Structure formats: structure tokens, C-alpha cells
Amino acid sequence: RCAKQDRTGVVRWTARTGLGRRADLRQLTELRAGIRAGHLRLHYQPLHRAGCRTLNGTEALVRWQHPQRGMLPPGVFLPDAERSDVILELTDWVLAEAIHQACAWHRAGRGMPVSVNLSAAYLAQDRAVPTILALLRLEGLPASLLTVEITETAVLARPDQAAARLAEIRAAGIRVAIDDFGTGYTSLGLLPELPIDELKIDQSFVLRMHDSKPHAVIIDSVIAIARALSLTVVAEGVEDEPTAAALADAGVDLLQGYHLGRPCPAENVHGRSWVSPGEAEQ
Ligand code: C2E
Ligand code: MG
Ligand code: MG
Ligand code: MG
């Protein structure tokens, strides 16, 4: 049983003390201050058409440029933020920034959809859709250039409420994607009722499609379901050319993954999105 103090002064308790929450709360307070101080960044990862491989959009992924700890990935701070109302403030910032950037690309004649991840708590707010619409109007961005990504778990917590909210989003012309599809518990029977445009096959299936027949079969099934429901199907976690080629043959519409491009700052997202290795995340 011990508490260690790291360079930043954050106290890290061993798991056995059960006091881990204390350090988390400290980080959460720091995150709230960091959001207000302008320390969040968005990196954009390209989505390419599977056939011709042209750039067809980007996904905005949040990072925390911490003054002492460097660029932190979302896994370090999002889970805590999602257990508190900090996620609402964080998401407001992400939406405003992503919509602003999408508009800059649009004005530069490179209009392409930007995807933003929305957590369940954000979607549960009555102000969620009006807030997004106000941001679109403020920047003058066509709604069709915004996609919101929602996980199955977020939908499943309150299926009826979520379906109504997603219908509201789609009625405004914004696209809706189900993220990490296959890892949650969506009953397949629910799928035809959900007002969505896109299914994103989780990377855990894609990463194993060449060494595990069951994973490959699940990918084929998701593609068949997406076809039957006229949904766009996206594969994430595409790390090499054989995987990209196999997914394109199997009928996936869009590819996302390190092979096509790593998340990087907006200025490094180019025409066909070839990012010079020094600028992208390693
Ligand atoms: P996600 O939405 O499924 O995003 C894809 C994640 O997979 C990203 O991690 C991305 O960097 C990573 N990835 C992309 N291509 C590859 C690949 O080829 N191989 C492998 N192994 N990984 C790949 P990241 O940026 O760390 O984000 C993790 C998760 O954090 C996201 O998963 C998303 O659920 C969440 N997240 C990120 N930004 C936001 C945000 O602004 N709001 C909310 N609510 N969640 C966010
Ligand atoms: Mg996502
Ligand atoms: Mg995903
Ligand atoms: Mg994922």
C-alpha cells in the first residue's frame, strides 16, 4: 500500500488502497481547466473510398495537449470525463472546433464530411440537437458535411429515446454512424428501426480477419446486413494493403486505418491524404 507522487505532483495510489478515484478527480479538475485554457486539440483521420482510395472524409479525434505530460490520447482522460459532466463541456468544444474546420475545408473547395464522436450523456440532453444546429448555422456548414458517431452501448442504454434523438439529427440532414459495431449488444432486430446511415465495423474484427475465420465471417455478415439496410459500411483499423484490398473486394464502402493515414492535425490532411510520416502520430 503506497502512494507515489509523479513529476506533475499527481498522487497515484496503488489499486489496493481503493483510493484511485482521488487521483482521477484531480486529473478531471485539471481537464476542466485545460478545456477552458484551450489545451484540447483535434486530430483528423482520413476515410478513403475503398475502390478508388480517394479521400472521402475525416474523423475528428480529441487529444489533450497537457503542459507537462505532452499530447495525451483520449483513453487517458475520456473514461473519467464520461463519468462526469466534463464530457458535456468537452463535447461542446469538439463540435465547435470540428464544425469550424469542416467549414474551412468546405470553403477551400474540399467539402468532405467530418465525423464527430458523441457520448451517450451528450445525446441524452434535450439541448444536444439545437446546439449542433446552432453551430452549423453559425459557421454556415451544410448539415450533410457532418456525421455523428454513436456507439451501440450509447443507443442500447435507452433505445427509444436514442432512436428519437437520432431521428431528430437525421431530419436535420446530419449523418448518423454506429461506431465500433459488433462490440456492443445491439439486438439485430433493432437495427432496421434505427434511423442511421452508416455502420463502422470495429477494428477488433478487422485486425483479426486474416488469422481468424470467425472474425472474417462476422465482417462478411455485417457487410450483408448493411447492404440489405442500404447503409454505408466503414471498416476501421485497416493497417495494411492486403486487408484494404480484401475489404474492398468484400464490399466495404470506406476504409479507415493506419494504412490509409494516421490521425494528424488538420493542416496535414492533404488531397489524397498522404501524410508525411513526421507529421502524423506514430
Ligand atoms: P473510435 O471512434 O473507434 O476511433 C478510432 C480509434 O482507433 C482512434 O483512437 C484511432 O487513432 C485508432 N485507429 C485508427 N486507425 C487504426 C489502425 O489502423 N490500427 C489501430 N490499432 N488503431 C487505429 P483514439 O484517437 O485513441 O480514440 C479512441 C476512442 O476515443 C475513439 O474510438 C472514440 O471512441 C473516443 N474518442 C475520441 N475522440 C472523441 C471525442 O471527441 N468525443 C468522444 N465522445 N469520444 C472520442
Ligand atoms: Mg469513432
Ligand atoms: Mg470507431
Ligand atoms: Mg473503435
Side-chain angles (χ1 to χ4, degrees):
R1 183 190 168 280
C2 64
K4 283 187 205 148
Q5 198 145 12
D6 70 12
R7 280 182 298 125
T8 67
V10 173
V11 178
R12 294 183 191 290
W13 302 87
T14 61
R16 267 184 307 151
T17 64
L19 293 174
R21 299 296 310 156
R22 195 154 154 179
D24 295 346
L25 279 177
R26 180 146 171 184
Q27 180 177 282
L28 199 57
T29 305
E30 210 186 342
L31 174 60
R32 198 193 298 270
I35 296 169
R36 293 173 185 173
H39 292 169
L40 293 187
R41 301 283 179 270
L42 286 184
H43 281 183
Y44 297 85
Q45 185 173 32
L47 283 92
H48 288 237
R49 289 219 185 96
C52 56
R53 301 292 171 86
T54 51
L55 185 62
N56 195 73
T58 62
E59 177 175 4
L61 297 158
V62 71
R63 276 91 183 90
W64 179 8
Q65 180 64 65
H66 190 285
Q68 283 86 37
R69 296 158 72 196
M71 193 75 90
L72 302 178
V76 173
F77 57 90
L78 261 190
D80 278 339
E82 287 189 324
R83 279 186 237 110
S84 79
D85 60 1
V86 174
I87 190 64
L88 306 180
E89 198 171 330
L90 181 144
T91 307
D92 280 333
W93 181 86
V94 169
L95 279 165
E97 178 68 18
I99 289 172
H100 182 73
Q101 181 57 53
C103 206
W105 279 322
H106 178 54
R107 290 222 178 88
R110 306 176 59 212
M112 55 181 169
V114 173
S115 302
V116 172
N117 296 280
L118 290 191
S119 36
Y122 193 85
L123 202 66
Q125 305 175 97
D126 286 334
R127 74 173 183 94
V129 180
T131 302
I132 297 171
L133 293 180
L135 287 168
L136 291 174
R137 264 197 311 275
L138 182 75
E139 297 284 348
L141 184 73
S144 60
L145 293 183
L146 180 68
T147 304
V148 298
E149 297 192 2
I150 289 134
T151 62
E152 287 176 78
T153 325
V155 172
L156 253 277
R158 303 270 307 272
D160 292 346
Q161 191 201 49
R165 194 51 48 87
L166 298 183
E168 216 185 318
I169 294 175
R170 283 187 85 221
I174 299 164
R175 294 173 56 82
V176 175
I178 299 293
D179 203 0
D180 301 344
F181 187 73
T183 61
Y185 311 92
T186 310
S187 118
L188 290 177
L190 203 64
L191 215 46
E193 316 303 330
L194 278 181
I196 57 175
D197 301 281
E198 222 170 273
L199 285 185
K200 296 191 79 170
I201 303 175
D202 189 63
Q203 59 187 40
S204 58
F205 298 103
V206 175
L207 293 171
R208 296 209 52 197
M209 63 181 273
H210 290 301
D211 67 33
S212 156
K213 183 72 183 162
H215 287 81
V217 169
I218 290 169
I219 289 177
D220 286 334
S221 315
V222 175
I223 295 168
I225 291 168
R227 280 279 156 275
L229 299 173
S230 305
L231 302 174
T232 298
V233 52
V234 185
E236 57 180 31
V238 181
E239 296 191 347
D240 53 48
E241 182 51 35
T243 305
L247 289 165
D249 282 347
V252 165
D253 300 298
L254 298 173
L255 303 174
Q256 181 179 359
Y258 296 163
H259 179 61
L260 293 310
R262 291 185 182 245
C264 64
E267 56 272 26
N268 302 135
V269 177
H270 297 303
R272 274 180 62 99
S273 177
W274 302 123
V275 175
S276 73
E279 296 161 332
E281 292 172 10
Q282 294 311 301

